[in-house]
Amino acid sequence: YEELKNGKWLTDLAYFLSALQHSSGMSKDMIPGPYPKTPEERAAAAKKYNLRVEDYEPYPDNGEGFGDYPKLPDKSQHERDPWYNWDHPDLRRNWGEPIHWDFDMLTRNRVDMSPSPVSWSSMCKQLFGFIGFMLFMFYLGEKFPSYQPVAPKQYPYNDLYLERGGDPEKQPEEVKNYEI
Amino acid sequence: MAEYRETPLAERPKTLDPNEYFNVSLEKRGAEEARAAFRANLKRQYQMQLNNPHRKELIEDPALTNWVQARGNIYPHFRPTQRTSMFGLAFGVVPLFFFYYVFKTTRDWKEERIRSGTDTQKYRLTS
């Protein structure tokens, strides 16, 4: 009844009901808290996320809604050791390990941020160089077409006068398709 | 032995990092040990739950719950700053006007062409 008298009894009731339905209580603690400002808050947040206090680094507080969620290094799951005995081998992750914010992007089916054998600038130059060159050449080909010289087809017998249904009595006009 | 060359996108793998083997200070070793202790503790918790013959329910992963709650509850910690307002404008407001103008003008051109009879494409797959 003390809690009922408290102003936020409705939110408490809501959390309680949701905990009942989801059968995994303590969901209120699991929501990320605000950005940690004092060292004690940092220590508490590091403990919550199973990280060392020195390793814990929250996202910068610029209002983007991260709260105190830790900022883990941007490494995709492709880079993790395939031979280690992970708890979840397909995800290359152990149980309880803090999850990167973009974890669903970094799974092995999706974005691969592993190091590339050639540098980024070299890759960009090669790809865009090739595409740019091909586009430029196609543009030139449109502008200056080059093909065998062609002319309209020339038919014999005065442009096939009889075959096209011309009057056999009448004399057709002479069609000269050549010049000597 | 082949000399591994680092490039901007290819970082040195941990097993080839000489700092793993030489110049290992006590603090670094302590840090690694602490991390390994964390990992071992989590592994132990998981294995105890996994191999518990009396367990009837799913093993709940608190890190997963944290992540899901964090991704779902962005608004409570959202603050309208200059940066976030810029994002909101760029992705929420500008496309409306931009696409309105693009579609309107191109379709007006087409309408003009059709009305004046200069439209050369008789058959269209999309219209």
Side-chain angles (χ1 to χ4, degrees):
Chain A
Y1 278 127
E2 287 303 314
E3 282 161 18
L4 281 180
K5 284 190 190 144
N6 192 348
K8 56 185 189 67
W9 66 275
L10 194 58
T11 38
D12 282 344
L13 184 65
Y15 281 122
F16 176 63
L17 284 177
S18 68
L20 274 184
Q21 282 156 8
H22 298 140
S23 73
S24 61
M26 295 206 316
S27 359
K28 192 155 76 167
D29 298 341
M30 298 297 201
I31 294 180
Y35 182 81
K37 297 194 179 58
T38 68
E40 293 88 30
E41 281 179 5
R42 284 184 83 99
K47 187 161 188 309
K48 182 166 95 163
Y49 293 112
N50 271 326
L51 282 171
R52 278 174 74 234
V53 182
E54 296 84 1
D55 289 340
Y56 172 72
E57 184 201 332
Y59 279 95
D61 186 24
N62 52 8
E64 282 180 352
F66 289 111
D68 63 359
Y69 201 79
K71 183 171 196 284
L72 299 162
D74 282 339
K75 292 244 185 91
S76 70
Q77 303 298 95
H78 292 83
E79 293 178 50
R80 297 205 174 186
D81 187 0
W83 300 106
Y84 174 79
N85 190 15
W86 302 100
D87 289 336
H88 306 296
D90 50 337
L91 297 170
R92 287 186 184 165
R93 186 185 157 263
N94 284 321
W95 185 86
E97 189 188 315
I99 302 185
H100 192 282
W101 184 269
D102 292 319
F103 178 72
D104 46 352
M105 180 177 85
L106 299 169
T107 58
R108 284 166 64 201
N109 272 330
R110 297 185 180 173
V111 173
D112 181 5
M113 294 162 81
S114 47
S116 61
V118 190
S119 66
W120 184 256
S121 59
S122 173
M123 287 199 290
C124 277
K125 273 188 244 170
Q126 287 180 34
L127 180 68
F128 294 120
F130 176 73
I131 291 181
F133 175 72
M134 294 308 288
L135 283 175
F136 178 66
M137 293 310 278
F138 281 129
Y139 169 71
L140 282 184
E142 280 289 322
K143 261 244 168 297
F144 306 113
S146 142
Y147 43 84
Q148 292 283 345
V150 292
K153 190 162 172 62
Q154 298 167 349
Y155 295 94
Y157 303 118
N158 303 323
D159 267 354
L160 300 175
Y161 180 76
L162 288 174
E163 281 80 355
R164 286 199 187 158
D167 199 351
E169 308 297 326
K170 276 218 299 234
Q171 194 66 2
E173 66 255 22
E174 290 289 322
V175 178
K176 242 181 167 207
N177 286 330
Y178 56 86
E179 247 180 47
I180 299 176
Chain B
M1 199 59 208
E3 200 43 62
Y4 184 84
R5 203 183 68 240
E6 282 186 47
T7 57
L9 273 184
E11 60 180 32
R12 188 167 279 266
K14 219 159 184 233
T15 46
L16 285 182
D17 190 5
N19 293 328
E20 280 278 308
Y21 306 106
F22 317 113
N23 314 330
V24 182
S25 61
L26 274 179
E27 296 91 48
K28 269 202 207 164
R29 283 192 199 222
E32 282 298 325
E33 264 181 50
R35 281 188 212 119
F38 265 99
R39 245 179 287 143
N41 185 26
L42 288 172
K43 277 248 180 203
R44 181 176 176 278
Q45 277 183 37
Y46 181 61
Q47 289 295 327
M48 293 292 277
Q49 283 183 289
L50 189 67
N51 300 319
N52 180 6
H54 300 297
R55 174 177 65 89
K56 286 194 281 286
E57 62 277 326
L58 285 174
I59 304 179
E60 188 193 308
D61 189 351
L64 191 65
T65 322
N66 271 325
W67 181 69
V68 168
Q69 295 292 335
R71 288 281 289 250
N73 294 310
I74 297 182
Y75 185 64
H77 301 299
F78 174 77
R79 234 179 35 236
T81 66
Q82 201 200 34
R83 187 184 148 99
T84 54
S85 316
M86 285 290 133
F87 273 130
L89 275 176
F91 287 104
V93 176
V94 165
L96 288 172
F97 293 100
F98 175 73
F99 283 118
Y100 168 77
Y101 280 117
V102 164
F103 287 136
K104 187 101 179 32
T105 32
T106 49
R107 288 184 190 182
D108 282 346
W109 292 343
K110 193 153 100 179
E111 182 70 25
E112 234 181 80
R113 280 205 307 273
I114 294 176
R115 279 190 197 278
S116 63
T118 57
D119 193 24
T120 47
Q121 276 187 290
K122 289 282 181 295
Y123 176 70
R124 272 194 183 79
L125 281 173
T126 65
S127 59

